[in-house]
Amino acid sequence: MALTLNGNTNTISGLAVGGLPDGVVDTDTLAVANRSKILNVESTTKTDSEGYDSQSWDDVSGLSVSITPLAANSKIMVFVHINIGARNDSQAMCKLVRGSQDICVGNAASNRTRASLESHTGGDNHGQEGHAINHLDTPPYSVGATLTYKIQIRVTGNTHKINSTNGDADQTYESRTASSITVMEVAA
């Protein structure tokens, strides 16, 4: 007899006699009931190019997303991909923010800036770096309240662009890219 898997009824038939006794493998032993589930997903993609030159933290326009958790005690998985073009001896730093709270930043250490990432592409106008932030957040919230996640940027000198090189010449060796932020509610 052939082994048959029925996805509609979640059954397996055609097992040979002499296999495992009845009741040996069930949902408890498979831990099916204890798996986390994704309850809610929101995402925003930024496709335009924009320059930043402030040495203070600024919101990156178009890299903000809101989610309203559907259940109590959920966690929020945050995925960020951001492309940064830079020039000369200058750094761009970005941080992940929930509401007005910095999250996923390094420890405080003297005068060092607390950030989620730092970008430095060197001395030309033709480079971009892609960066990722992946963070499982355990936010305080009430069911029905909206949580907003965003990216902020600050630079140490020259202008840095999001989604293009700083030169941004109309040439085939220059590119325009996209950045995104995605949040997923993970059931407790």
Side-chain angles (χ1 to χ4, degrees):
M1 175 190 244
L3 182 65
T4 304
L5 303 172
N6 186 329
N8 293 327
T9 61
N10 294 323
T11 59
I12 301 172
S13 60
L15 293 174
V17 175
L20 297 174
D22 285 342
V24 170
V25 179
D26 56 21
T27 57
D28 292 332
T29 58
L30 294 175
V32 171
N34 295 325
R35 282 195 254 168
S36 294
K37 293 183 173 95
I38 303 301
L39 302 178
N40 193 359
V41 178
E42 300 291 341
S43 187
T44 300
T45 299
K46 176 181 180 65
T47 58
D48 64 321
S49 173
E50 188 170 10
Y52 292 88
D53 61 6
S54 176
Q55 293 188 13
S56 299
W57 290 106
D58 285 331
D59 293 350
V60 174
S61 68
L63 278 182
S64 174
V65 65
S66 296
I67 189 167
T68 303
L70 302 174
N73 303 316
S74 292
K75 295 183 183 210
I76 306 295
M77 186 69 213
V78 184
F79 300 98
V80 177
H81 178 80
I82 185 169
N83 294 296
I84 303 173
R87 71 181 214 215
N88 300 330
D89 289 329
S90 178
Q91 291 82 25
M93 298 164 209
C94 293
K95 65 181 176 179
L96 179 60
V97 179
R98 178 192 354 97
S100 60
Q101 178 72 43
D102 298 350
I103 58 174
C104 191
V105 295
N107 289 338
S110 188
N111 293 318
R112 294 169 186 87
T113 301
R114 297 181 71 199
S116 302
L117 66 87
E118 180 177 324
S119 180
H120 177 74
T121 57
D124 65 29
N125 288 329
H126 304 294
Q128 281 189 74
E129 290 182 336
H131 299 275
I133 302 169
N134 300 314
H135 177 67
L136 184 60
D137 190 29
T138 308
Y141 68 91
S142 300
V143 174
T146 298
L147 302 170
T148 300
Y149 292 84
K150 63 185 176 182
I151 295 297
Q152 290 186 333
I153 188 170
R154 72 178 290 270
V155 302
T156 61
N158 295 308
T159 299
H160 292 250
K161 286 192 174 179
I162 305 298
N163 293 341
S164 72
T165 65
N166 266 8
D168 200 21
D170 190 11
Q171 300 292 331
T172 57
Y173 58 79
E174 298 281 353
S175 64
R176 289 288 180 96
T177 55
S179 298
S180 64
I181 182 169
T182 301
V183 291
M184 299 194 305
E185 178 184 2
V186 181

